[in-house]
Amino acid sequence: MTSNFVPPNQARSLRACMVCSVVQTLQRFVREGCPNCESFLDLTNHPDSVQECTSQVYEGLITLADPSQSWVARWQRLDGYVPGVYAVKVVGMLPDEVISHLEDSGVRYIPRDGTAQDDDT
């Protein structure tokens, strides 16, 4: 397991995944992909995809040690994801072709910017 520690001089290179909201450095997204979405986003070694599917603009940070037991994880729809640092809101829009690919992969995309209405309440 790799460390989630980000040195202060790399804080400006942090990005949040627009699908799951995990926060990592740009270099880590390119090197390792998204720990939750890699199976359908295929970000590893694809810097253009990382730029399209992640955002530098996000609000708030949540650190989750055990997402399966956390009420915050359930509230933010993060239960079932890997432990790590997540953004509360992620600003940005995925390209239409990425959204179509998610739907074809059976993934229900819910924007992380707070604009989507919650269907299950």
Side-chain angles (χ1 to χ4, degrees):
M1 182 173 177
T2 58
S3 170
N4 285 327
F5 175 74
V6 176
N9 65 342
Q10 290 185 6
R12 293 179 57 84
S13 70
L14 290 175
R15 299 184 70 86
C17 176
M18 285 192 247
V19 177
C20 72
S21 78
V22 70
V23 176
Q24 302 183 136
T25 61
L26 173 65
Q27 297 84 359
R28 189 164 179 188
F29 272 115
V30 172
R31 189 177 62 245
E32 301 174 18
C34 178
N36 299 304
C37 308
E38 189 59 22
S39 63
F40 47 86
L41 286 183
D42 192 30
L43 301 179
T44 304
N45 297 320
H46 295 105
D48 291 340
S49 295
V50 171
Q51 292 290 335
E52 290 180 340
C53 298
T54 65
S55 175
Q56 284 184 296
V57 184
Y58 55 87
E59 296 178 19
L61 292 173
I62 302 167
T63 301
L64 294 175
D66 188 355
S68 65
Q69 298 296 313
S70 169
W71 70 267
V72 174
R74 285 190 300 278
W75 181 264
Q76 290 293 124
R77 295 185 186 106
L78 302 172
D79 46 334
Y81 289 160
V82 301
V85 178
Y86 292 84
V88 174
K89 286 186 178 182
V90 181
V91 177
M93 291 292 298
L94 282 174
D96 290 336
E97 63 270 10
V98 174
I99 294 172
S100 296
H101 177 68
L102 291 176
E103 292 170 353
D104 293 344
S105 299
V107 176
R108 181 171 171 237
Y109 173 62
I110 300 171
R112 295 282 177 175
D113 61 1
T115 59
Q117 296 296 319
D118 193 358
D119 293 351
D120 40 60
T121 58

